[in-house]
Amino acid sequence: MRDYKVVVLGAGGVGKSSVTVQFVQGVYVESYDPTIEDSYRKQIEIDGRACDLEILDTAGVAQFTAMRELYIKSGKGFLLVYSVTDENSLKELLALREQVLRIKDSDNVPMVLIGNKCDLDDDRVLSIDDGIKVSQDWGLVPFYETSAMYKTNVDEAFVDVVRQIMRKEAQISAEKKQQKELQKQQNASNDQGNNAKSSETEDKPTKRRTRQSTIDDPNGLDSAPKNKCCVIM
């Protein structure tokens, strides 16, 4: 079973806790109690793989934003939540996303954009098109409008971000495997080159010994006694 840490981020009052509790416990929390930090665990099966999720529900109020960097560093996937009844909550997500990308030092971070409270039609100030536009601006980040009250798209959003984490881990694993294979081939090529050089080095002294043997041969021409009658004065 693999462990996956998912962090829920967003402004205060957008329904982060309601969405999280609905996913983990299947109940709707109606009252609003500002969160400092709540951690939940849930075991689910995604695409035939058992997953142990640790979900961190973070604070949205200003006095706890200093703790956010620690959550982002430890998280593998992120749910960025705004309320369709609060235009400013969507604007705050723009800065939050930039903070996530900066801290993770990557443009490829598993992430889902959530427009919560879609059941409150009379209070809605942001359309679904507003969420789609932000999704496109972020490079087609998956976007869901959710209702914590009716559990609309809640499970789908969490499953989506976990699937993104799985794909990223598989990609990293494949890249590491490819690097190992390339390193192995390079090492083998270097070994072959070293063996060839070593063989050439061993052959050279042998040839010198052969020539020396010819010179020192007592039966050779150089060692034959010289006949004076053959010498031209």
Side-chain angles (χ1 to χ4, degrees):
M1 182 177 295
R2 300 295 300 274
D3 294 333
Y4 300 99
K5 179 172 283 189
V6 177
V7 182
V8 185
L9 298 169
V14 299
K16 298 185 300 297
S17 297
S18 296
V19 169
T20 302
V21 173
Q22 181 63 270
F23 173 69
V24 175
Q25 301 177 2
V27 297
Y28 173 61
V29 179
E30 186 173 2
S31 60
Y32 173 60
D33 183 17
T35 302
I36 298 177
E37 174 191 341
D38 286 327
S39 181
Y40 302 86
R41 300 197 77 94
K42 182 178 178 68
Q43 294 182 357
I44 59 174
E45 184 175 306
I46 299 177
D47 301 333
R49 180 183 300 181
C51 305
D52 186 11
L53 305 187
E54 180 181 355
I55 304 168
L56 189 62
D57 177 21
T58 64
V61 291
Q63 58 262 42
F64 300 118
T65 53
M67 303 168 61
R68 191 177 291 146
E69 186 167 337
L70 297 175
Y71 307 149
I72 294 173
K73 284 182 178 179
S74 63
K76 291 185 177 181
F78 300 87
L79 275 70
L80 272 63
V81 186
Y82 70 94
S83 170
V84 299
T85 65
D86 182 0
E87 185 175 359
N88 288 330
S89 67
L90 180 56
K91 293 179 180 178
E92 286 191 40
L93 285 190
L94 305 181
L96 273 176
R97 175 178 177 269
E98 290 302 318
Q99 186 179 17
V100 170
L101 299 184
R102 175 180 56 81
I103 292 173
K104 305 303 284 187
D105 192 24
S106 173
D107 291 331
N108 181 24
V109 179
M111 186 180 296
V112 166
L113 174 65
I114 292 179
N116 192 37
K117 304 185 181 181
C118 67
D119 55 287
L120 301 179
D121 290 329
D122 293 339
D123 299 323
R124 178 189 283 269
V125 296
L126 293 170
S127 69
I128 191 170
D129 290 335
D130 293 321
I132 292 174
K133 183 180 184 304
V134 172
S135 168
Q136 293 172 342
D137 291 342
W138 290 1
L140 296 179
V141 167
F143 165 61
Y144 296 87
E145 281 204 342
T146 63
S147 168
M149 177 179 290
Y150 298 109
K151 205 175 182 179
T152 306
N153 290 331
V154 171
D155 290 354
E156 289 81 354
F158 278 92
V159 169
D160 192 316
V161 76
V162 175
R163 282 199 177 112
Q164 291 183 54
I165 298 172
M166 289 178 174
R167 287 196 297 269
K168 184 173 183 179
E169 289 185 345
Q171 180 183 358
I172 293 174
S173 177
E175 289 175 353
K176 288 182 178 179
K177 184 177 180 181
Q178 185 178 17
Q179 290 176 355
K180 287 182 179 180
E181 289 295 327
L182 291 174
Q183 187 65 42
K184 186 177 179 181
Q185 293 175 8
Q186 185 176 357
N187 291 339
S189 178
N190 291 339
D191 290 342
Q192 290 177 357
N194 292 335
N195 291 337
K197 290 180 181 179
S198 177
S199 177
E200 291 176 1
T201 303
E202 291 175 357
D203 288 344
K204 289 179 181 178
T206 303
K207 292 178 181 179
R208 287 197 294 270
R209 287 196 298 272
T210 302
R211 288 196 296 269
Q212 185 65 33
S213 176
T214 302
I215 295 172
D216 296 340
D217 185 358
N219 296 322
L221 295 176
D222 291 342
S223 62
K226 293 184 173 53
N227 192 335
K228 290 184 178 180
C229 67
C230 295
V231 178
I232 300 175
M233 301 301 293

